[in-house]
Amino acid sequence: MELKRVVVTGLGALTPIGNNVETAWNNAVNGVSGAGPITHFDATKFKTQFACEVKDFNGAEHFDRKKIRQLDLYAQYALVAAKEAIEDADLENENIDKNRVGVIFAAGIGGLHTFEEEAGYFAIHGEEQGPKYNPFFIPKMIADIAAGHISIDHGFRGPNFGTVSACASSTNALIDAFNIIRLGQADAIVAGGAEAAVFPAGVGGFNSMKALSTRNDDPKGASRPFSGSRDGFVIGEGAAALVLEELEHAKARGAKIYAEVAGGGMSADAYHITATHPEGLGARLVMENALKDAGMKPEDVDYINLHGTSTPVGDLGEAKAIKAVFGDHAYEMNLSSTKSMTGHLLGAAGALEALFSVKAITDGIIPPTINHEEGDNDENVDYNLNFTFNKAQKRDINTALSNTFGFGGHNAAILLKKYKE
């Protein structure tokens, strides 16, 4: 069976550095940090008091009151990003068969705020009132519901589900969409991820694991991947969506084509429930699997959007894996972690970083890894690798790789390339 080619025809984003694709990408290229004091709740008693929150977002500007009652914040973010991508791809054109358009949308956690509110209310009032829960509690909370809402709002009746693999979730969504389309089971799929976990349970939970940066005196400088003084990730929120489409279907309707999906890889660390393998064995395998799936050689890759969370152990393992997979070519590529600006969007991270990889290809520019200071080095990091520190670099990019690794040892990587006939 001959596999079909799959291209990207639509992009949408709602992020800590911009509430649409154009703004987010411009800020990423210019090294703008999205970090600041937490506004979603009073965090003064928490070890970490800052995050990368979405700014100036009001759900009432996008949804009526009845709809908002049904939507956790993460689902609101998902619907807004998906709408931008769908409009960008002109995917609601009357000539499109909506029976063959699907939605695969990810969340690492899902409706955490809804769960926190409902469980908290019961803990306080349950003994005297009994179990009084909001009828929307379950459908607001579950991690697959964003895909359902997108499908309902736009009438897409193709494959529809959510993917959950912690911080690899939305890369898995993209890979699933890619595989379904290239097997001929759908013409187009809206794929991506959303997350809204900047609430007490999210921040407190990650604090208890010592996973978050506690650089409260310098939020904008806190996410500093591959720097010696990195002390944990900065939690972020938002959503990103990509429309993946079968090439001939896209060409037949005159859709604009941003890039082509070349391949995807998956693997497991089989090591620890939260820590990445210190030698990067799972990270190495996932990149090798992506290259094999794409039929590419290591030297074909020009840029890697790193998982690069700014944790002491995780960054080291990824750097070791890159050197193991790419050998001497590792020193010829550009590497960067856009999490230095957006923070870590958890289940939405992979989709946003794949989107940034697409934009890097189309615009010929590598977004930077910000917050690296002269002399702030880690003796275990090879600084001969080009981490694109602090300033974007122009470069003709034919192929970009986006890495994501999640708690549980889940690894996913997607290869994107410049579209050519």
Side-chain angles (χ1 to χ4, degrees), residues 358-379:
V358 168
K359 291 294 289 180
I361 290 169
T362 60
D363 291 10
I365 191 163
I366 309 290
T369 305
I370 66 168
N371 293 327
H372 186 73
E373 300 168 345
E374 186 175 354
D376 184 13
N377 294 335
D378 182 331
E379 62 181 12

Side-chain angles (χ1 to χ4, degrees), residues 1 41 80 99 192 202 230 240 260 288 309-310 335 355 397 412:
M1 177 182 176
F41 68 96
V80 171
N99 291 335
R230 64 192 185 278
E260 183 171 359
E288 291 172 342
T309 57
S310 189
L335 317 171
L355 186 155
I397 305 164

Side-chain angles (χ1 to χ4, degrees), residues 89-354:
D90 191 23
L91 204 57
E92 291 189 290
N93 186 297
E94 61 183 13
N95 296 317
I96 289 178
D97 181 0
K98 291 189 175 183
N99 291 335
R100 291 187 55 81
V101 179
V103 182
I104 304 175
F105 228 80
I109 301 173
L112 181 65
H113 184 46
T114 295
F115 182 85
E116 186 178 75
E117 282 190 323
E118 293 293 320
Y121 183 87
F122 180 72
I124 295 170
H125 303 288
E127 186 172 341
E128 60 182 75
Q129 294 184 0
K132 289 188 177 182
Y133 285 94
N134 188 315
F136 291 117
F137 171 35
I138 299 300
K140 282 178 70 173
M141 177 195 71
I142 52 180
D144 68 301
I145 204 66
H149 277 293
I150 295 165
S151 168
I152 292 165
D153 282 7
H154 299 279
F156 298 146
R157 292 179 291 273
N160 184 271
F161 57 92
T163 53
V164 180
S165 50
C167 303
S169 296
S170 54
T171 303
N172 278 125
L174 294 171
I175 293 170
D176 281 358
F178 169 57
N179 285 327
I180 288 169
I181 294 170
R182 67 174 171 172
L183 288 170
Q185 297 172 357
D187 294 330
I189 294 178
V190 182
E195 206 79 88
V198 185
F199 292 102
V203 175
F206 283 119
N207 266 158
S208 69
M209 297 170 57
K210 299 182 179 179
L212 296 181
S213 171
T214 56
R215 195 183 286 260
N216 293 312
D217 59 340
D218 181 24
K220 292 189 181 301
S223 185
R224 45 182 56 223
F226 302 95
S227 291
S229 59
R230 64 192 185 278
D231 69 329
F233 74 83
V234 177
I235 190 170
E237 62 173 5
L242 292 81
V243 173
L244 272 55
E245 189 168 351
E246 193 271 321
L247 173 60
E248 297 305 320
H249 186 268
K251 288 167 63 177
R253 68 186 189 89
K256 67 175 173 290
I257 296 173
Y258 286 102
E260 183 171 359
V261 183
M266 294 173 280
S267 76
D269 278 358
Y271 172 71
H272 190 273
I273 58 171
T274 56
T276 56
H277 194 285
E279 298 301 316
L281 297 188
R284 175 177 179 174
L285 181 60
V286 78
M287 290 186 280
E288 291 172 342
N289 288 344
L291 288 166
K292 183 178 179 180
D293 186 49
M296 288 184 167
K297 300 175 182 177
E299 54 266 31
D300 293 328
V301 179
D302 303 301
Y303 167 56
I304 301 178
N305 188 299
L306 301 162
H307 183 60
T309 57
S310 189
T311 59
V313 175
D315 289 3
L316 290 179
E318 187 173 14
K320 290 178 180 179
I322 288 167
K323 291 173 67 175
V325 172
F326 292 93
D328 291 342
H329 182 66
Y331 300 95
E332 304 299 321
M333 299 186 296
N334 275 79
L335 317 171
S336 74
S337 173
T338 48
K339 287 186 181 74
S340 59
M341 297 167 285
T342 66
H344 191 354
L345 271 64
L346 309 176
L352 179 58
E353 290 154 18

